[in-house]
Amino acid sequence: RNVNLLPNVITYSESISACGKGEQWQHALSILEAMHSHALVPNIISCSTAVCACGKGSQWLQTVGILELMRGGGLVPSVITQSAAISACGKAGKWQQSLGLFWAMQNQTLEPNVIACSAAIQACGSGGQWQQALDLLAVARSSALLPNVITY
């Protein structure tokens, strides 16, 4: 029996997700790029899973690039996607980029959650930016975000 099964956005997104779970960010990016060659437009899920895959690999530059790709395509990153990018930047020692992404959330009408705030605080702490970390903690408190053990 000869069945022609063509991959679609869902199968590509699931493949990207599997690569992320396997910490294979390079393959996740390759799959995201392959979507274009098959005339498929990445959606919010395929882009978000690619951001998360790259975030797990501390690939801050790739996460920021995917966020820009998303915005250029009219997709609005979710709080989870943005948090993954903030965390990736922090893990790579790029506290300025983490802060920029955190503050950009509010410009995009995204309400930062405790995960995003904690990731930005960790990035500042790792970068020796204690004053910035304290400022973010104050923002968390004033925004009624309940800081957790990671935040402190």
Side-chain angles (χ1 to χ4, degrees), residues 1 15 18 33 38 65 92-94 104 106 122 129 131 133-134 148:
R1 189 173 183 190
S15 298
E33 291 169 7
H38 290 97
K94 303 294 182 184
Q106 294 180 351
Q122 285 180 331
Q129 303 299 313
Q131 186 61 51
L134 290 177
N148 59 22

Side-chain angles (χ1 to χ4, degrees), residues 43-120:
N43 65 11
I44 188 79
I45 295 169
S46 50
C47 290
S48 294
T49 54
V51 165
C52 291
C54 291
K56 287 180 182 179
S58 300
Q59 300 301 311
W60 73 275
L61 196 55
Q62 285 77 8
T63 61
V64 171
I66 297 168
L67 289 177
E68 290 173 5
L69 174 77
M70 291 175 75
R71 290 186 193 105
L75 299 174
V76 178
S78 69
V79 174
I80 294 168
T81 305
Q82 197 85 358
S83 297
I86 291 168
S87 180
C89 290
K91 288 177 187 175
K94 303 294 182 184
W95 65 269
Q96 299 96 330
Q97 284 79 4
S98 288
L99 274 181
L101 290 170
F102 179 81
W103 295 120
M105 290 177 78
Q106 294 180 351
N107 295 337
Q108 300 163 15
T109 65
L110 287 174
E111 192 65 38
N113 62 10
V114 71
I115 296 168
C117 194
S118 295

Side-chain angles (χ1 to χ4, degrees), residues 8-63:
N8 60 23
V9 174
I10 295 169
T11 55
Y12 276 98
S13 297
E14 288 298 327
S15 298
I16 294 168
S17 178
C19 290
K21 290 175 184 171
E23 298 183 12
Q24 299 295 315
W25 64 268
Q26 300 97 329
H27 293 298
L29 283 180
S30 295
I31 294 167
L32 185 66
E33 291 169 7
M35 291 179 75
H36 294 292
S37 65
H38 290 97
L40 293 172
V41 178
N43 65 11
I44 188 79
I45 295 169
S46 50
C47 290
S48 294
T49 54
V51 165
C52 291
C54 291
K56 287 180 182 179
S58 300
Q59 300 301 311
W60 73 275
L61 196 55
Q62 285 77 8
T63 61

Side-chain angles (χ1 to χ4, degrees), residues 130-143:
W130 62 270
Q131 186 61 51
Q132 297 282 358
L134 290 177
D135 291 346
L136 285 168
L137 184 59
V139 167
R141 288 181 181 152
S142 69
S143 300

